[in-house]
Amino acid sequence: MIRKKLVAGALILAMTVALGGCGGTTKKEDSKDTPVATEANGAAGGLKDAFADDFTVGVAINTYQLTDSDKLEIIQKDFNSITMENEMKPENILDQAGSEGQSDGMPRIKTDNLESILKLAKDNGFKLRGHTLVWHSQTPDWFFRKDYEASNDYVDKDTMSKRMESYIKQVLTFCQEKYPGVVYAWDVVNEAMGDGGGFRTEGSGWYDIFGEEFIEKAFTYARKYADKDVKLFYNDYNSYEASKRNMIFATVSKLKEKNLIDGIGMQSHWDMEYPSVDNIETAIEKFSEIKGIEIQLTEIDMHNTDDSDEGLKAQAARYKEIFTMLKNMDKKGANITNVTFWGLQDDVTWLSSFKGEESFPLLFDADGKAKPVYNSLMEVAKAK
Ligand code: G3I
């Protein structure tokens, strides 16, 4: 680790120059803050250990996978960071009945499941990426409306601002007081950019009430209540597409100047043809120009309908190419601190229902057996 830090120091300088002197990063200076493999989180020799000098390795899961001993064994061997696929989203934390009729008008949250997630994470030695605080989706419509009733009009900006602050404060405070240090990063705002350029305007209660102002507001409250070592992220998909990439760059640059943000989450839902390795690399280079910004690949999967030997080999080869680039970028000083796979096994993936066809996008098959991609990632990790 120490050697890595020294090497990284020289490489940051090289990267800064390579990026036109536009900033560079504080690569690995804060690696002490990121989760590491411990005895508590399983046997050594998995992906988390192989990539220990590069980034932490995470997986998106649901509580039932953590309480299934076969799955837990895989998770503990290969991963040192987890993200809840759905359970920490507002729709699963906000309490409509509890929020109605309160004299302070503020929302109430349900903490039972949240507490059991935090406990499972702590007991099994995982650090948690919190996903997500402010998102247009999976946030109930009633949250934006008078008296928390879906059939009522929207509340005004001032009221919604207080509700936002209250929600962020309650969730962060609960996690930090009950299980300090377990949640190490939050996707504070998710998917606020539009697909064709500009901000996302449609289907967002946040945008309807605030316009784009809600983004800075969310980060302001998150910074106010987050413990010092909890990292705050902006997270989005297709972040390698030029228009979105540039919007993210501009928005995050402004937030960073005000010290309201620590990193960019590149979701990374890839398929077998798109995006190109160059597309991803260009986005990472661009984001790395923001001085001190961390980059995490927060939702990696690769849509693939062909699970023949040939299809899985092709998938392994593409994953290998992308991860070779990621490792090289990281060595050159891009501050890539975590990669997270959006699911454990191919039988539990959002892609099959979303695409309407069976998808095999992950590292393990439905029986929990490592696919060819697993070994190809191991080779990348072990390559000099
Ligand atoms: O919980 C209900 C259940 O009660 C009901 O019977 C069932 C019937 O369809 O639906 C269940 O809810 C589903 C939920 O996942 C929990 O399984 C929703 O229908 C389904 O739409 C929802 O999908 C999730 C999706 O976000 C919603 O936007 C996926 O699991 C989850 O992987 C996906 O994750 C998102 C990230 O948060 C943000 N980035 C994109 C990524 C992929 O869409």
Side-chain angles (χ1 to χ4, degrees), residues 94-341:
L94 278 165
D95 176 0
Q96 183 174 21
S99 302
E100 286 168 346
Q102 296 287 350
S103 55
D104 64 2
M106 289 301 104
R108 298 297 188 266
I109 63 168
K110 295 178 282 192
T111 55
D112 286 2
N113 195 45
L114 184 56
E115 176 149 19
S116 76
I117 291 166
L118 294 164
K119 183 169 177 352
L120 275 169
K122 181 167 185 224
D123 291 351
N124 291 298
F126 299 116
K127 299 287 182 177
L128 243 177
R129 287 195 90 258
H131 176 78
T132 172
L133 293 169
V134 171
W135 189 23
H136 66 278
S137 178
Q138 290 182 283
T139 301
D141 187 51
W142 57 258
F143 184 47
F144 301 98
R145 303 206 175 249
K146 290 181 181 162
D147 302 324
Y148 301 108
E149 281 300 333
S151 54
N152 288 348
D153 290 340
Y154 279 140
V155 294
D156 58 29
K157 263 192 199 185
D158 186 48
T159 307
M160 201 60 224
S161 185
K162 291 193 177 103
R163 289 183 183 184
M164 180 199 266
E165 177 168 7
S166 171
Y167 179 74
I168 291 175
K169 177 181 179 183
Q170 290 182 66
V171 175
L172 264 52
T173 307
F174 183 84
C175 294
Q176 291 163 180
E177 285 181 355
K178 286 270 182 172
Y179 289 89
V182 169
V183 180
Y184 69 100
W186 275 101
D187 290 329
V188 175
V189 175
N190 195 41
E191 301 175 5
M193 305 306 163
D195 288 325
F199 293 98
R200 172 190 294 277
T201 54
E202 69 292 342
S204 169
W206 294 115
Y207 192 89
D208 286 344
I209 292 175
F210 290 106
E212 70 220 47
E213 260 176 58
F214 80 88
I215 302 172
E216 182 169 331
K217 213 172 251 301
F219 278 98
T220 304
Y221 294 139
R223 186 62 98 206
K224 182 170 171 189
Y225 297 107
D227 279 350
K228 205 164 46 57
D229 54 353
V230 173
K231 303 292 175 76
L232 307 181
F233 279 74
Y234 175 77
N235 191 51
D236 215 328
Y237 61 89
N238 288 357
S239 51
Y240 34 74
E241 280 183 5
S243 58
K244 216 179 241 197
R245 181 191 70 212
N246 295 341
M247 280 297 292
I248 294 172
F249 177 81
T251 305
V252 171
S253 297
K254 284 187 204 144
L255 293 168
K256 190 75 177 93
E257 274 165 26
K258 297 180 182 175
N259 191 29
L260 294 175
I261 193 167
D262 302 298
I264 296 174
M266 301 175 70
Q267 290 186 8
S268 308
H269 297 292
W270 304 317
D271 64 29
M272 291 297 292
E273 310 293 332
Y274 183 80
S276 69
V277 180
D278 276 2
N279 290 156
I280 305 170
E281 183 170 353
T282 303
I284 294 173
E285 269 179 10
K286 180 84 184 158
F287 296 150
S288 298
E289 289 175 18
I290 305 172
K291 195 169 166 23
I293 211 75
E294 282 187 36
I295 295 170
Q296 301 194 340
L297 280 77
T298 53
E299 304 184 15
I300 299 172
D301 48 25
M302 187 182 290
H303 180 50
N304 173 29
T305 53
D306 181 1
D307 71 337
S308 66
D309 287 353
E310 202 177 284
L312 296 182
K313 262 194 214 158
Q315 182 183 45
R318 177 154 156 77
Y319 259 114
K320 185 171 185 178
E321 222 191 325
I322 296 176
F323 268 74
T324 300
M325 177 275 292
L326 292 176
K327 188 171 159 153
N328 288 339
M329 293 295 288
D330 186 64
K331 275 188 185 305
K332 284 196 284 175
N335 200 8
I336 302 172
T337 51
N338 170 265
V339 298
T340 288
F341 294 87

